[in-house]
Amino acid sequence: MGSQRNGLKRGSFILAVDVGTTYIRCHVYDKETKIRGSCTTKVVLLYPEVGHVEMDPEQIWSGFVTVVRGAVHDAGLQMSNIEALGISTQRATFTTWDRKTGVPFHNFISWQDQRAADLVRSWNRSCTMKVIHNVMKVLYLMTRQKRLLAASLIVFSTQHVTFRLVWALAHYKQIRQAVDEGNCCFGTIDTWLIFKLTKGKVHATDYSNASTTGIFDSYQMCWSSFLCSLVSLPLSIFPKVEDTGSQQVFSSVPMLQMADQQAAMFGECCFDVGDVKITMGTGTFMNINTGQKPHTSVAGLYPVVGWKIGPELVYLAEGNAADTGTAIRWAQELELFSDVKDTSAMAYSVDDSDGVCFVPSFSGLQAPLNDPKACASFMGLKPSTTKSHLVRAILESVAFRNKQLYEIMLRETHIPIAKIRVNGGVSTNDFIMQLTADLFGRKVARHKDNEMSCLGCAFVAGLGVVLKTVLIRS
């Protein structure tokens, strides 16, 4: 926590909280979007079994409360000075809880979790999926409806909530009992926080978060009854889906939620078709603005809702690599370097990687390979290999995955790229960013503020306040 600021006891401020995979951060923004107060706490990841990645819901809640109080105090303010609260959260991380008591049935199951990998692979290879693909192809040829084409190409992923939730329903008896009693709530982190902040009165999410679960139909803009019936998920447990600009109220402060990658896209002002945003944190997420229509992909790009604010609906196509920051932190734990800031200089200290290649796949490989069982590995090791060669190979692997995602995006969307903006902690690495720009063969703009998810949800929260004021005055 920084030192308390003085002279800021009057005026209107926006509070923005980003619940990421590594940290929970909170900033207080003034009307010029300058940060007036901040607070950060670390997210504790739990690994109860091989392939399982969890978070304690109560630790997430207490961390959220801590950073909110800390940032407001750091700015020298009171909550009465806060005009709105924006919340951005990591996506596809979920829990289930008792509707009456609010007590979770289990820890948050992270988007990185691999417990459903065998189930996903079994379904993707099943006769049922082959029949669905063939039927949907025929229907698409007859109707030319893009959502039928999407259904003919659907491939399940461990990163989507779908089969991790199926796994939870199969393994936790108390969830099944609560479902039977009509007393079970499902939710991603944003839904859980809103439920807690409203003392159980609101069970809701927004379109940006819902669309990343794998259970939401981005073409029909509703939870997929077809998919739920296919894999036996009860629709009764799902939250209400609202506009990104919809606001709940906490202690007289309007608040809204938004998915972190979409918030970063908004924060980077990628409002036009063809704008690309690359966030490099725990994972890399590359998004392109596709306008008012969802993109149908054959190689693993995923159509998500960017935001829905009133009548404005913006779609994004997204590709991701799950283990960007994870690989770098792993190398640090192996003592290949002591400070992450040293990695760029280490990479530049050698002419090349000496033939060493690194595969950054602690959580499988996503688009275009889409292999949840792929393992991380070094190849090409020899007696002449040094720590600098290993570090360079790891950093190169991040840039190479960026290139893979970029090529898929160009090939599949056929949308001319307008601009490319990057953010996230890993984007501060000069070696990675220069190699990425070289591989792309074009300029890549890096914002001085890496925490664009906070800024994006602050923008949307402030926009919500302005729109509400205009409506009241009119």
Side-chain angles (χ1 to χ4, degrees):
M1 187 187 301
S3 60
Q4 183 171 333
R5 276 73 166 175
N6 295 317
L8 295 169
K9 299 188 182 296
R10 297 178 183 273
S12 300
F13 300 87
I14 300 294
L15 197 63
V17 184
D18 177 42
V19 183
T21 307
T22 308
Y23 294 101
I24 304 175
R25 293 184 174 91
C26 183
H27 295 314
V28 177
Y29 293 94
D30 64 16
K31 290 183 177 180
E32 286 73 43
T33 68
K34 293 180 180 178
I35 296 175
R36 298 299 187 177
S38 300
C39 188
T40 301
T41 189
K42 192 171 178 60
V43 173
V44 179
L45 294 178
L46 307 173
Y47 303 93
E49 296 182 33
V50 175
H52 291 212
V53 187
E54 300 180 353
M55 290 173 287
D56 182 351
E58 293 304 327
Q59 190 268 332
I60 294 294
W61 169 245
S62 64
F64 177 88
V65 173
T66 296
V67 298
V68 166
R69 289 175 175 170
V72 172
H73 175 75
D74 190 41
L77 302 171
Q78 303 293 327
M79 282 300 294
S80 58
N81 300 115
I82 303 302
E83 196 156 2
L85 167 63
I87 303 171
S88 80
T89 56
Q90 58 176 280
R91 309 163 311 165
T93 293
F94 75 92
T95 189
T96 57
W97 63 90
D98 187 294
R99 190 183 300 274
K100 294 178 181 178
T101 66
V103 177
F105 294 125
H106 54 86
N107 284 335
F108 276 111
I109 300 176
S110 169
W111 63 275
Q112 296 176 302
D113 191 279
Q114 293 291 305
R115 71 186 65 194
D118 290 335
L119 194 57
V120 166
R121 177 171 290 189
S122 175
W123 264 89
N124 284 339
R125 293 177 174 178
S126 68
C127 292
T128 301
M129 287 299 290
K130 291 177 182 177
V131 170
I132 290 172
H133 286 170
N134 290 331
V135 169
M136 293 302 172
K137 284 177 184 175
V138 172
L139 291 175
Y140 169 70
L141 292 173
M142 294 171 60
T143 65
R144 294 296 173 180
Q145 293 185 29
K146 289 197 73 175
R147 66 187 184 90
L148 296 175
L149 176 59
S152 74
L153 300 169
I154 187 172
V155 176
F156 293 117
S157 165
T158 55
Q159 286 193 357
H160 296 149
V161 168
T162 317
F163 280 100
R164 284 181 284 125
L165 181 55
V166 169
W167 185 96
L169 284 165
H171 285 78
Y172 296 118
K173 181 179 178 181
Q174 62 268 40
I175 300 179
R176 299 195 300 274
Q177 182 177 343
V179 170
D180 292 339
E181 297 171 353
N183 196 34
C184 179
C185 287
F186 156 85
T188 44
I189 289 179
D190 65 300
T191 307
W192 163 253
L193 292 176
I194 295 295
F195 188 88
K196 294 281 284 185
L197 287 165
T198 59
K199 300 186 184 300
K201 294 179 181 178
V202 178
H203 181 216
T205 187
D206 84 305
Y207 286 104
S208 68
N209 275 290
S211 66
T212 62
T213 60
I215 312 172
F216 187 83
D217 187 335
S218 294
Y219 294 84
Q220 297 289 342
M221 295 293 284
C222 63
W223 296 113
S224 174
S225 56
F226 169 75
L227 181 57
C228 287
S229 62
L230 181 67
V231 298
S232 301
L233 290 177
L235 277 168
S236 60
I237 70 175
F238 291 101
K240 179 183 177 182
V241 186
E242 300 179 336
D243 284 7
T244 305
S246 294
Q247 296 184 347
Q248 312 300 336
V249 178
F250 163 64
S251 298
S252 75
V253 177
M255 59 183 180
L256 60 85
Q257 69 260 55
M258 192 175 189
D260 57 2
Q261 299 308 318
Q262 289 92 319
M265 191 83 171
F266 204 94
E268 289 282 15
C269 299
C270 292
F271 303 135
D272 299 323
V273 174
D275 286 349
V276 172
K277 179 276 305 176
I278 309 173
T279 297
M280 288 184 285
T282 300
T284 292
F285 293 85
M286 188 178 297
N287 301 83
I288 183 170
N289 186 323
T290 61
Q292 297 179 348
K293 295 181 179 180
H295 168 70
T296 303
S297 171
V298 297
L301 295 183
Y302 196 70
V304 298
V305 176
W307 49 85
K308 185 179 184 300
I309 302 175
E312 181 189 17
L313 174 60
V314 174
Y315 286 97
L316 313 176
E318 178 176 283
N320 82 293
D323 293 310
T324 303
T326 303
I328 295 172
R329 285 197 304 274
W330 170 77
Q332 186 175 23
E333 290 171 1
L334 289 183
E335 299 183 355
L336 293 182
F337 53 86
S338 56
D339 192 330
V340 174
K341 295 178 181 178
D342 299 333
T343 57
S344 185
M346 289 180 70
Y348 277 123
S349 71
V350 291
D351 293 333
D352 53 43
S353 64
D354 195 32
V356 177
C357 295
F358 180 69
V359 181
S361 54
F362 293 98
S363 304
L365 283 172
Q366 293 71 47
L369 300 173
N370 301 308
D371 183 357
K373 288 290 189 177
C375 297
S377 60
F378 274 114
M379 293 176 285
L381 297 173
K382 54 182 73 71
S384 60
T385 300
T386 66
K387 285 186 177 181
S388 293
H389 292 128
L390 296 177
V391 169
R392 181 167 179 133
I394 291 171
L395 301 190
E396 285 179 343
S397 74
V398 173
F400 294 156
R401 284 292 286 134
N402 288 344
K403 174 65 170 175
Q404 276 187 317
L405 294 174
Y406 182 66
E407 286 184 339
I408 297 164
M409 206 159 272
L410 287 174
R411 185 168 64 246
E412 283 216 337
T413 64
H414 303 292
I415 297 174
I417 304 298
K419 61 176 177 273
I420 303 174
R421 294 183 172 173
V422 298
N423 61 79
V426 178
S427 72
T428 61
N429 188 289
D430 290 340
F431 178 86
I432 291 175
M433 293 320 306
Q434 187 58 60
L435 181 56
T436 296
D438 292 343
L439 291 170
F440 286 7
R442 63 177 297 157
K443 183 179 178 180
V444 175
R446 178 172 60 187
H447 200 282
K448 63 180 180 179
D449 181 3
N450 290 312
E451 296 172 23
M452 300 308 292
S453 294
C454 267
L455 183 61
C457 71
F459 280 160
V460 175
L463 181 62
V465 170
V466 172
L467 291 174
K468 185 176 180 181
T469 301
V470 170
L471 288 172
I472 291 174
R473 289 178 178 175
S474 62

